[in-house]
Coordinates of all heavy atoms in Angstrom, one line a residue:
K1 N -13.8 -4.4 -17.2 CA -15.2 -4.7 -17.0 C -15.8 -3.9 -15.8 O -15.0 -3.6 -14.9 CB -15.6 -6.1 -17.0 CG -15.0 -6.9 -15.8 CD -15.3 -8.3 -15.7 CE -14.7 -9.1 -14.5 NZ -15.1 -10.6 -14.5
E2 N -17.0 -3.7 -15.8 CA -17.6 -2.9 -14.7 C -17.7 -3.8 -13.4 O -18.1 -5.0 -13.5 CB -19.0 -2.5 -15.0 CG -19.6 -1.6 -14.0 CD -21.0 -1.0 -14.4 OE1 -21.6 -1.6 -15.3 OE2 -21.4 0.0 -13.8
I3 N -17.1 -3.2 -12.3 CA -17.1 -3.9 -11.1 C -18.1 -3.3 -10.1 O -18.0 -2.1 -9.8 CB -15.7 -3.8 -10.4 CG1 -14.5 -4.4 -11.4 CG2 -15.7 -4.6 -9.2 CD1 -14.7 -5.8 -11.8
I4 N -19.0 -4.1 -9.7 CA -20.1 -3.6 -8.9 C -19.7 -3.5 -7.4 O -19.9 -2.5 -6.7 CB -21.5 -4.4 -9.0 CG1 -21.8 -4.5 -10.6 CG2 -22.5 -3.9 -8.2 CD1 -22.1 -3.1 -11.2
D5 N -19.2 -4.7 -6.9 CA -18.9 -4.7 -5.5 C -17.4 -4.2 -5.4 O -16.5 -5.1 -5.2 CB -19.1 -6.2 -4.9 CG -19.0 -6.2 -3.4 OD1 -18.7 -5.2 -2.8 OD2 -19.2 -7.3 -2.9
I6 N -17.2 -3.0 -5.4 CA -15.9 -2.4 -5.2 C -15.3 -2.7 -3.9 O -14.1 -3.1 -3.8 CB -16.0 -0.9 -5.4 CG1 -16.5 -0.5 -6.9 CG2 -14.6 -0.2 -5.3 CD1 -16.8 0.9 -7.1
A7 N -15.9 -2.6 -2.7 CA -15.3 -2.8 -1.5 C -14.7 -4.2 -1.4 O -13.7 -4.3 -0.6 CB -16.4 -2.6 -0.4
A8 N -15.3 -5.2 -1.9 CA -14.9 -6.5 -1.9 C -13.8 -6.8 -2.7 O -13.1 -7.8 -2.6 CB -16.0 -7.5 -2.2
N9 N -13.3 -5.8 -3.5 CA -12.2 -6.1 -4.6 C -11.1 -5.2 -4.4 O -10.2 -5.2 -5.2 CB -12.8 -6.0 -5.9 CG -13.7 -7.2 -6.3 OD1 -13.1 -8.2 -6.6 ND2 -14.9 -7.0 -6.4
V10 N -10.9 -4.4 -3.3 CA -9.8 -3.5 -3.2 C -9.0 -3.9 -2.0 O -9.5 -4.5 -0.9 CB -10.3 -2.0 -3.0 CG1 -10.9 -1.6 -4.3 CG2 -11.3 -1.8 -1.8
Y11 N -7.8 -3.3 -1.8 CA -6.9 -3.5 -0.7 C -7.6 -2.8 0.5 O -8.2 -1.7 0.3 CB -5.5 -2.9 -1.0 CG -4.7 -3.8 -2.0 CD1 -4.3 -3.1 -3.1 CD2 -4.5 -5.0 -1.8 CE1 -3.5 -3.8 -4.1 CE2 -3.7 -5.8 -2.7 CZ -3.3 -5.2 -3.9 OH -2.5 -5.9 -4.8
T12 N -7.4 -3.3 1.7 CA -7.9 -2.6 2.8 C -7.1 -1.4 3.2 O -5.9 -1.3 2.8 CB -7.9 -3.6 4.0 OG1 -6.6 -3.9 4.4 CG2 -8.7 -4.8 3.7
H13 N -7.7 -0.5 3.9 CA -7.1 0.8 4.5 C -5.9 0.4 5.2 O -4.7 0.9 5.0 CB -8.1 1.5 5.2 CG -7.6 2.8 5.8 ND1 -8.4 3.7 6.4 CD2 -6.4 3.4 5.9 CE1 -7.8 4.7 6.9 NE2 -6.5 4.5 6.5
N14 N -6.0 -0.5 6.1 CA -4.8 -0.9 7.0 C -3.7 -1.5 6.2 O -2.6 -1.2 6.5 CB -5.3 -2.0 8.1 CG -6.1 -1.2 9.2 OD1 -6.0 0.0 9.4 ND2 -6.9 -2.0 9.8
D15 N -4.0 -2.4 5.3 CA -2.9 -3.0 4.4 C -2.2 -2.0 3.6 O -1.0 -2.0 3.4 CB -3.6 -4.0 3.5 CG -3.9 -5.4 4.2 OD1 -3.4 -5.5 5.4 OD2 -4.6 -6.2 3.6
I16 N -2.9 -1.0 3.0 CA -2.3 0.1 2.3 C -1.4 0.8 3.1 O -0.2 1.1 2.7 CB -3.4 1.0 1.6 CG1 -4.2 0.1 0.6 CG2 -2.8 2.2 1.0 CD1 -5.6 0.8 0.2
I17 N -1.8 1.3 4.3 CA -1.0 2.2 5.0 C 0.2 1.5 5.7 O 1.4 2.1 5.7 CB -1.9 2.8 6.2 CG1 -2.9 3.8 5.5 CG2 -0.9 3.7 7.1 CD1 -2.4 4.8 4.6
S18 N 0.1 0.3 6.1 CA 1.2 -0.5 6.7 C 2.2 -0.9 5.6 O 3.3 -0.8 5.9 CB 0.7 -1.8 7.4 OG 0.0 -2.7 6.4
T19 N 1.8 -1.2 4.4 CA 2.6 -1.4 3.3 C 3.4 -0.3 2.9 O 4.7 -0.3 2.6 CB 1.9 -2.1 2.2 OG1 1.2 -3.2 2.5 CG2 2.8 -2.5 1.0
L20 N 2.8 0.9 2.8 CA 3.4 2.1 2.5 C 4.4 2.5 3.5 O 5.5 2.9 3.2 CB 2.4 3.2 2.3 CG 3.0 4.6 1.9 CD1 3.8 4.6 0.7 CD2 1.9 5.7 1.9
E21 N 4.1 2.5 4.8 CA 5.1 2.8 5.8 C 6.3 1.9 5.7 O 7.4 2.4 5.9 CB 4.4 2.7 7.2 CG 5.4 3.2 8.3 CD 4.7 3.6 9.6 OE1 3.6 3.0 9.8 OE2 5.2 4.3 10.4
T22 N 6.1 0.6 5.6 CA 7.2 -0.3 5.4 C 8.2 0.1 4.4 O 9.4 0.1 4.5 CB 6.7 -1.7 5.2 OG1 6.0 -2.2 6.4 CG2 7.9 -2.7 5.1
R23 N 7.5 0.4 3.2 CA 8.4 0.9 2.1 C 9.2 2.1 2.4 O 10.2 2.3 1.8 CB 7.6 0.9 0.8 CG 8.3 1.2 -0.4 CD 9.2 0.1 -0.9 NE 10.1 0.4 -2.1 CZ 11.3 0.4 -2.2 NH1 12.1 0.1 -1.1 NH2 11.9 0.6 -3.3
L24 N 8.5 3.1 2.9 CA 9.0 4.4 3.2 C 10.2 4.1 4.1 O 11.3 4.9 4.0 CB 8.1 5.3 3.9 CG 7.0 5.8 2.8 CD1 5.9 6.6 3.6 CD2 7.5 6.6 1.7
K25 N 10.1 3.3 5.2 CA 11.2 3.0 6.1 C 12.4 2.4 5.3 O 13.6 2.7 5.6 CB 10.8 2.1 7.1 CG 9.8 2.7 8.2 CD 9.5 1.6 9.3 CE 8.4 2.3 10.4 NZ 8.0 1.3 11.3
E26 N 12.1 1.6 4.3 CA 13.1 1.0 3.6 C 14.0 2.0 2.7 O 15.1 2.0 2.7 CB 12.6 -0.1 2.6 CG 12.0 -1.4 3.3 CD 11.3 -2.3 2.3 OE1 11.1 -1.9 1.2 OE2 11.0 -3.4 2.7
L27 N 13.2 3.0 2.2 CA 13.8 4.0 1.3 C 14.7 4.9 2.2 O 15.7 5.3 1.8 CB 12.7 4.7 0.6 CG 12.0 4.1 -0.5 CD1 10.7 4.8 -0.9 CD2 12.9 3.7 -1.7
V28 N 14.2 5.2 3.4 CA 15.0 6.1 4.4 C 16.4 5.3 4.7 O 17.4 5.8 4.6 CB 14.1 6.4 5.6 CG1 15.1 7.0 6.7 CG2 13.1 7.2 5.3
K29 N 16.1 3.9 4.9 CA 17.3 3.2 5.3 C 18.3 3.0 4.2 O 19.5 3.1 4.3 CB 16.9 1.8 5.8 CG 18.0 0.9 6.3 CD 17.5 -0.4 6.7 CE 18.6 -1.3 7.2 NZ 18.1 -2.7 7.8
E30 N 17.8 3.0 2.9 CA 18.7 2.9 1.8 C 19.1 4.3 1.3 O 19.8 4.4 0.3 CB 17.8 2.4 0.6 CG 17.4 0.8 0.9 CD 16.4 0.4 -0.1 OE1 15.9 1.1 -1.0 OE2 15.8 -0.8 0.1
Q31 N 18.7 5.3 2.0 CA 19.1 6.8 1.6 C 18.6 7.1 0.3 O 19.4 7.8 -0.5 CB 20.6 6.9 1.9 CG 21.0 6.8 3.3 CD 22.4 7.1 3.7 OE1 23.3 6.7 2.8 NE2 22.8 7.8 4.8
K32 N 17.5 6.6 -0.2 CA 16.9 7.0 -1.5 C 15.9 8.2 -1.3 O 15.2 8.1 -0.3 CB 16.3 5.8 -2.1 CG 17.3 4.7 -2.5 CD 16.7 3.5 -3.2 CE 17.7 2.5 -3.6 NZ 17.0 1.3 -4.3
S33 N 15.9 9.0 -2.3 CA 15.0 10.1 -2.2 C 13.7 9.8 -3.2 O 13.9 9.1 -4.2 CB 15.6 11.3 -2.6 OG 16.2 11.4 -4.0

């Protein structure tokens, strides 16, 4: 359905970047490409 208030319904910039960095660190530790 159409979402009008997009900003109120998305993940925050900080949460996205911190979550991604945590996952990338895990992949490096696990030696996965």
Side-chain angles (χ1 to χ4, degrees):
K1 61 181 181 179
E2 187 173 18
I3 306 297
I4 303 299
D5 191 356
I6 296 171
N9 285 285
V10 295
Y11 293 118
T12 68
H13 181 170
N14 287 339
D15 283 347
I16 292 164
I17 297 306
S18 62
T19 302
L20 176 59
E21 183 165 25
T22 296
R23 184 65 179 125
L24 292 174
K25 286 179 178 178
E26 291 172 351
L27 291 169
V28 169
K29 186 177 180 179
E30 296 165 1
Q31 296 186 318
K32 292 183 178 178
S33 64

